[in-house]
Amino acid sequence: MNAAAQSATDPLTDEMQRTINVPFYGPLEFGKKSQQLSVAFDTGSADLWIPVGCSDCVNPQYNAAASPTYRNTGNVFNVNYGFSYAEGTLAYDTIGMGGLKVNDQYFGAVTDASSNFNTNPISGSLGLGFSSIATSGKPTFFENLIMQGKVEAPFFSVHLTRGKARGSKITLGGCDMSKAVGPLTWVSVISKTYWTVHFDGAVVEGNYVSGNVDAAVDTGSSYIYVSQTLAYSIYANIPGAGPAANYSSGFFSFPCDSNPTISFSLGGHDFGLSIQDFKLGQDGYGSTNCIGGIVGLDDPFMEGIVIIGNEFMKSWYSVFDYSHGARVGFAPSINNAQ
């Protein structure tokens, strides 16, 4: 361990929109002069990218010319998120957060990105998944911090606020248990790709719904995404629930005057889902039905996986640990005591 090893905390901002995949974001420093740009902190991907000379990008870009340590390899970089993409060339430079710095950190110098990124107040993305899924083929920023002995502990932790634009934070190399009201329960990672745990099933209004699929714990997703088949099975146990009238396919609604109980079994441990996060709002103006935060996606990929997004993590302070074979820890969030 480096004698200068430490931890660093970054404030995260919630865009506070009821749209899909508006992620929590915060500042990251680029280059010799530490130019600060906002990026999404995404455990559901493993690539770092930022726009550099992107003609169609409207958010702030990295001024690579101002950094004497910037180098561009000329190798092609591209990342696809299913509904969006970013592409350019692979570069490297000094990247930092809160006093933690990595020299020669590889990242995508993006010159073209899908237009939906222009609707978000972020310049790029910091992937915090495992580098095994990085399209760059390079270690992630946090993996480099671990390998270079720059963090006190080989884990990072996330606190997400509920109903507030400010107050969320990510801590690299440590955790802040003042944001929890109980101990951590550890769940083993079963695939070092995404932060993947086993999704045993769900208990909905006292009825068990079998899952037996993988689950990716994803700070880059707003909601909880499941297969269409699993979504129908879950909502079948909520009286009055059905496909939403005024939302796209995959969204379901249920009576606003009901408060269904839902919990997930992950790696043999049960974790409740707060009704405050599950109940997203009315299914159209004047509707007596409300939209549910479990969304069914009609995609063959979803038959084998559940994506557990921020809706879940607002109830559970989350620690992503590279040690002990890799695991994720969940402690009841202080949000639940407020």
Side-chain angles (χ1 to χ4, degrees):
M1 177 67 71
N2 190 318
Q6 58 179 302
S7 62
T9 296
D10 223 8
L12 300 180
T13 302
D14 185 2
E15 183 59 7
M16 299 292 289
Q17 294 181 7
R18 291 297 187 187
T19 54
I20 296 179
N21 284 335
V22 179
F24 284 78
Y25 61 93
L28 200 64
E29 297 169 352
F30 290 81
K32 186 74 172 178
K33 297 184 178 180
S34 299
Q35 180 185 349
Q36 195 171 94
L37 295 167
S38 292
V39 297
F41 286 79
D42 182 15
T43 59
S45 66
D47 286 284
L48 169 60
W49 64 266
I50 205 77
V52 179
C54 178
S55 59
D56 294 326
C57 299
V58 302
N59 292 314
Q61 302 192 35
Y62 179 39
N63 181 13
S67 177
T69 51
Y70 173 82
R71 298 290 184 273
N72 195 305
T73 68
N75 295 331
V76 172
F77 172 86
N78 62 74
V79 60
N80 192 302
Y81 298 102
F83 300 105
S84 58
Y85 69 89
E87 57 187 30
T89 51
L90 191 64
Y92 57 89
D93 205 341
T94 300
I95 308 296
M97 190 197 103
L100 297 174
K101 291 185 181 294
V102 172
N103 296 324
D104 299 336
Q105 172 66 49
Y106 282 89
F107 64 95
V110 166
T111 54
D112 182 33
S114 50
S115 59
N116 61 305
F117 284 115
N118 289 332
T119 65
N120 293 335
I122 58 173
S123 293
S125 180
L126 174 63
L128 290 166
F130 293 88
S131 58
S132 61
I133 60 169
T135 63
S136 67
K138 303 295 184 179
T140 67
F141 174 64
F142 189 68
E143 287 173 351
N144 275 326
L145 288 174
I146 294 173
M147 289 187 290
Q148 295 174 18
K150 293 185 176 181
V151 286
E152 292 177 355
F155 54 75
F156 62 90
S157 54
V158 178
H159 166 65
L160 301 181
T161 57
R162 175 182 290 140
K164 299 176 183 178
R166 309 287 178 178
S168 299
K169 67 178 186 178
I170 183 169
T171 301
L172 304 185
C175 60
D176 179 4
M177 294 307 291
S178 72
K179 299 302 181 183
V181 292
L184 285 163
T185 297
W186 292 103
V187 182
S188 296
V189 165
I190 59 175
S191 173
K192 294 180 184 180
T193 49
Y194 308 103
W195 287 90
T196 308
V197 298
H198 191 260
F199 183 87
D200 310 318
V203 177
V204 186
E205 291 288 78
N207 300 310
Y208 184 73
V209 179
S210 180
N212 195 29
V213 294
D214 294 346
V217 186
D218 182 11
T219 59
S221 292
S222 301
Y223 307 140
I224 295 163
Y225 299 94
V226 301
S227 68
Q228 284 276 30
T229 301
L230 184 55
Y232 273 101
S233 296
I234 288 172
Y235 283 101
N237 289 283
I238 301 177
N246 297 299
Y247 279 67
S248 59
S249 174
F251 281 89
F252 290 75
S253 66
F254 62 96
C256 290
D257 60 2
S258 66
N259 294 308
T261 59
I262 302 173
S263 65
F264 297 144
S265 178
L266 305 176
H269 303 279
D270 292 332
F271 302 94
L273 180 63
S274 171
I275 189 63
Q276 296 179 69
D277 304 317
F278 176 67
K279 188 182 289 187
L280 300 181
Q282 290 176 296
D283 184 9
Y285 179 77
S287 175
T288 59
N289 284 340
C290 282
I291 298 298
I294 297 176
V295 182
L297 295 182
D298 186 15
D299 186 318
F301 173 75
M302 294 304 299
E303 294 300 324
I305 196 167
V306 168
I307 299 174
I308 299 179
N310 299 331
E311 174 187 337
F312 175 86
M313 282 178 273
K314 290 176 182 179
S315 285
W316 298 95
Y317 184 77
S318 304
V319 181
F320 300 81
D321 186 6
Y322 278 80
S323 68
H324 298 83
R327 57 184 184 170
V328 184
F330 300 108
S333 171
I334 194 172
N335 294 337
N336 301 330
Q338 298 173 341

PDB file of all heavy atoms in Angstrom, residues 197-213:
ATOM      1  N   VAL A 197     -24.764 -10.118  -9.379  1.00  0.00           N
ATOM      2  CA  VAL A 197     -25.118 -11.003  -8.272  1.00  0.00           C
ATOM      3  C   VAL A 197     -26.256 -11.906  -8.732  1.00  0.00           C
ATOM      4  O   VAL A 197     -26.824 -11.715  -9.809  1.00  0.00           O
ATOM      5  CB  VAL A 197     -25.527 -10.199  -7.018  1.00  0.00           C
ATOM      6  CG1 VAL A 197     -24.368  -9.334  -6.532  1.00  0.00           C
ATOM      7  CG2 VAL A 197     -26.755  -9.329  -7.297  1.00  0.00           C
ATOM      8  N   HIS A 198     -26.578 -12.895  -7.908  1.00  0.00           N
ATOM      9  CA  HIS A 198     -27.659 -13.798  -8.295  1.00  0.00           C
ATOM     10  C   HIS A 198     -29.003 -13.251  -7.839  1.00  0.00           C
ATOM     11  O   HIS A 198     -29.177 -12.883  -6.679  1.00  0.00           O
ATOM     12  CB  HIS A 198     -27.460 -15.194  -7.715  1.00  0.00           C
ATOM     13  CG  HIS A 198     -28.393 -16.213  -8.291  1.00  0.00           C
ATOM     14  ND1 HIS A 198     -29.536 -16.631  -7.643  1.00  0.00           N
ATOM     15  CD2 HIS A 198     -28.380 -16.877  -9.479  1.00  0.00           C
ATOM     16  CE1 HIS A 198     -30.163 -17.515  -8.398  1.00  0.00           C
ATOM     17  NE2 HIS A 198     -29.485 -17.683  -9.507  1.00  0.00           N
ATOM     18  N   PHE A 199     -29.940 -13.174  -8.772  1.00  0.00           N
ATOM     19  CA  PHE A 199     -31.309 -12.748  -8.473  1.00  0.00           C
ATOM     20  C   PHE A 199     -32.155 -14.006  -8.277  1.00  0.00           C
ATOM     21  O   PHE A 199     -32.550 -14.669  -9.234  1.00  0.00           O
ATOM     22  CB  PHE A 199     -31.865 -11.904  -9.621  1.00  0.00           C
ATOM     23  CG  PHE A 199     -33.249 -11.353  -9.397  1.00  0.00           C
ATOM     24  CD1 PHE A 199     -33.440 -10.146  -8.744  1.00  0.00           C
ATOM     25  CD2 PHE A 199     -34.372 -12.043  -9.854  1.00  0.00           C
ATOM     26  CE1 PHE A 199     -34.713  -9.637  -8.540  1.00  0.00           C
ATOM     27  CE2 PHE A 199     -35.642 -11.545  -9.654  1.00  0.00           C
ATOM     28  CZ  PHE A 199     -35.813 -10.336  -8.999  1.00  0.00           C
ATOM     29  N   ASP A 200     -32.400 -14.343  -7.009  1.00  0.00           N
ATOM     30  CA  ASP A 200     -33.168 -15.561  -6.711  1.00  0.00           C
ATOM     31  C   ASP A 200     -34.623 -15.390  -7.120  1.00  0.00           C
ATOM     32  O   ASP A 200     -35.239 -16.303  -7.673  1.00  0.00           O
ATOM     33  CB  ASP A 200     -33.104 -15.879  -5.218  1.00  0.00           C
ATOM     34  CG  ASP A 200     -31.682 -15.861  -4.678  1.00  0.00           C
ATOM     35  OD1 ASP A 200     -30.780 -16.386  -5.366  1.00  0.00           O
ATOM     36  OD2 ASP A 200     -31.475 -15.299  -3.583  1.00  0.00           O
ATOM     37  N   GLY A 201     -35.181 -14.226  -6.797  1.00  0.00           N
ATOM     38  CA  GLY A 201     -36.575 -13.973  -7.092  1.00  0.00           C
ATOM     39  C   GLY A 201     -37.065 -12.751  -6.343  1.00  0.00           C
ATOM     40  O   GLY A 201     -36.290 -12.014  -5.725  1.00  0.00           O
ATOM     41  N   ALA A 202     -38.379 -12.540  -6.388  1.00  0.00           N
ATOM     42  CA  ALA A 202     -39.004 -11.402  -5.721  1.00  0.00           C
ATOM     43  C   ALA A 202     -40.175 -11.891  -4.874  1.00  0.00           C
ATOM     44  O   ALA A 202     -40.795 -12.912  -5.186  1.00  0.00           O
ATOM     45  CB  ALA A 202     -39.487 -10.378  -6.743  1.00  0.00           C
ATOM     46  N   VAL A 203     -40.453 -11.163  -3.801  1.00  0.00           N
ATOM     47  CA  VAL A 203     -41.661 -11.407  -3.015  1.00  0.00           C
ATOM     48  C   VAL A 203     -42.555 -10.190  -3.189  1.00  0.00           C
ATOM     49  O   VAL A 203     -42.183  -9.066  -2.835  1.00  0.00           O
ATOM     50  CB  VAL A 203     -41.334 -11.630  -1.527  1.00  0.00           C
ATOM     51  CG1 VAL A 203     -42.622 -11.810  -0.722  1.00  0.00           C
ATOM     52  CG2 VAL A 203     -40.435 -12.851  -1.360  1.00  0.00           C
ATOM     53  N   VAL A 204     -43.725 -10.405  -3.774  1.00  0.00           N
ATOM     54  CA  VAL A 204     -44.650  -9.324  -4.096  1.00  0.00           C
ATOM     55  C   VAL A 204     -45.960  -9.565  -3.371  1.00  0.00           C
ATOM     56  O   VAL A 204     -46.637 -10.572  -3.613  1.00  0.00           O
ATOM     57  CB  VAL A 204     -44.897  -9.241  -5.623  1.00  0.00           C
ATOM     58  CG1 VAL A 204     -45.758  -8.022  -5.967  1.00  0.00           C
ATOM     59  CG2 VAL A 204     -43.572  -9.196  -6.389  1.00  0.00           C
ATOM     60  N   GLU A 205     -46.276  -8.682  -2.454  1.00  0.00           N
ATOM     61  CA  GLU A 205     -47.491  -8.821  -1.658  1.00  0.00           C
ATOM     62  C   GLU A 205     -47.564 -10.199  -0.998  1.00  0.00           C
ATOM     63  O   GLU A 205     -48.633 -10.842  -0.952  1.00  0.00           O
ATOM     64  CB  GLU A 205     -48.744  -8.578  -2.522  1.00  0.00           C
ATOM     65  CG  GLU A 205     -48.934  -7.145  -2.978  1.00  0.00           C
ATOM     66  CD  GLU A 205     -49.346  -6.220  -1.832  1.00  0.00           C
ATOM     67  OE1 GLU A 205     -48.449  -5.837  -1.036  1.00  0.00           O
ATOM     68  OE2 GLU A 205     -50.538  -5.872  -1.733  1.00  0.00           O
ATOM     69  N   GLY A 206     -46.414 -10.666  -0.543  1.00  0.00           N
ATOM     70  CA  GLY A 206     -46.341 -11.947   0.157  1.00  0.00           C
ATOM     71  C   GLY A 206     -46.233 -13.157  -0.737  1.00  0.00           C
ATOM     72  O   GLY A 206     -46.089 -14.284  -0.234  1.00  0.00           O
ATOM     73  N   ASN A 207     -46.260 -12.972  -2.052  1.00  0.00           N
ATOM     74  CA  ASN A 207     -46.196 -14.083  -2.995  1.00  0.00           C
ATOM     75  C   ASN A 207     -44.825 -14.134  -3.663  1.00  0.00           C
ATOM     76  O   ASN A 207     -44.309 -13.113  -4.135  1.00  0.00           O
ATOM     77  CB  ASN A 207     -47.277 -13.929  -4.067  1.00  0.00           C
ATOM     78  CG  ASN A 207     -48.668 -13.918  -3.473  1.00  0.00           C
ATOM     79  OD1 ASN A 207     -49.022 -14.799  -2.680  1.00  0.00           O
ATOM     80  ND2 ASN A 207     -49.472 -12.924  -3.828  1.00  0.00           N
ATOM     81  N   TYR A 208     -44.246 -15.331  -3.706  1.00  0.00           N
ATOM     82  CA  TYR A 208     -42.907 -15.484  -4.268  1.00  0.00           C
ATOM     83  C   TYR A 208     -42.972 -15.615  -5.784  1.00  0.00           C
ATOM     84  O   TYR A 208     -43.755 -16.394  -6.338  1.00  0.00           O
ATOM     85  CB  TYR A 208     -42.216 -16.709  -3.678  1.00  0.00           C
ATOM     86  CG  TYR A 208     -40.792 -16.875  -4.140  1.00  0.00           C
ATOM     87  CD1 TYR A 208     -39.787 -16.032  -3.674  1.00  0.00           C
ATOM     88  CD2 TYR A 208     -40.448 -17.872  -5.062  1.00  0.00           C
ATOM     89  CE1 TYR A 208     -38.478 -16.178  -4.088  1.00  0.00           C
ATOM     90  CE2 TYR A 208     -39.131 -18.025  -5.489  1.00  0.00           C
ATOM     91  CZ  TYR A 208     -38.156 -17.164  -5.000  1.00  0.00           C
ATOM     92  OH  TYR A 208     -36.862 -17.317  -5.426  1.00  0.00           O
ATOM     93  N   VAL A 209     -42.113 -14.835  -6.460  1.00  0.00           N
ATOM     94  CA  VAL A 209     -41.973 -14.897  -7.917  1.00  0.00           C
ATOM     95  C   VAL A 209     -40.547 -15.331  -8.213  1.00  0.00           C
ATOM     96  O   VAL A 209     -39.583 -14.625  -7.883  1.00  0.00           O
ATOM     97  CB  VAL A 209     -42.256 -13.527  -8.571  1.00  0.00           C
ATOM     98  CG1 VAL A 209     -42.069 -13.614 -10.082  1.00  0.00           C
ATOM     99  CG2 VAL A 209     -43.659 -13.046  -8.233  1.00  0.00           C
ATOM    100  N   SER A 210     -40.392 -16.490  -8.811  1.00  0.00           N
ATOM    101  CA  SER A 210     -39.062 -17.033  -9.064  1.00  0.00           C
ATOM    102  C   SER A 210     -38.329 -16.232 -10.132  1.00  0.00           C
ATOM    103  O   SER A 210     -38.922 -15.767 -11.113  1.00  0.00           O
ATOM    104  CB  SER A 210     -39.168 -18.491  -9.516  1.00  0.00           C
ATOM    105  OG  SER A 210     -37.889 -19.035  -9.773  1.00  0.00           O
ATOM    106  N   GLY A 211     -37.007 -16.064  -9.918  1.00  0.00           N
ATOM    107  CA  GLY A 211     -36.178 -15.366 -10.894  1.00  0.00           C
ATOM    108  C   GLY A 211     -35.113 -16.276 -11.461  1.00  0.00           C
ATOM    109  O   GLY A 211     -35.138 -16.652 -12.617  1.00  0.00           O
ATOM    110  N   ASN A 212     -34.139 -16.655 -10.612  1.00  0.00           N
ATOM    111  CA  ASN A 212     -33.038 -17.533 -10.988  1.00  0.00           C
ATOM    112  C   ASN A 212     -32.296 -17.014 -12.217  1.00  0.00           C
ATOM    113  O   ASN A 212     -32.034 -17.746 -13.172  1.00  0.00           O
ATOM    114  CB  ASN A 212     -33.536 -18.955 -11.231  1.00  0.00           C
ATOM    115  CG  ASN A 212     -32.385 -19.956 -11.272  1.00  0.00           C
ATOM    116  OD1 ASN A 212     -31.346 -19.752 -10.640  1.00  0.00           O
ATOM    117  ND2 ASN A 212     -32.562 -21.039 -12.021  1.00  0.00           N
ATOM    118  N   VAL A 213     -31.959 -15.711 -12.184  1.00  0.00           N
ATOM    119  CA  VAL A 213     -31.194 -15.088 -13.258  1.00  0.00           C
ATOM    120  C   VAL A 213     -30.095 -14.224 -12.630  1.00  0.00           C
ATOM    121  O   VAL A 213     -30.030 -14.060 -11.414  1.00  0.00           O
ATOM    122  CB  VAL A 213     -32.087 -14.217 -14.175  1.00  0.00           C
ATOM    123  CG1 VAL A 213     -33.080 -15.077 -14.938  1.00  0.00           C
ATOM    124  CG2 VAL A 213     -32.811 -13.145 -13.361  1.00  0.00           C
TER     125      VAL A 213
END
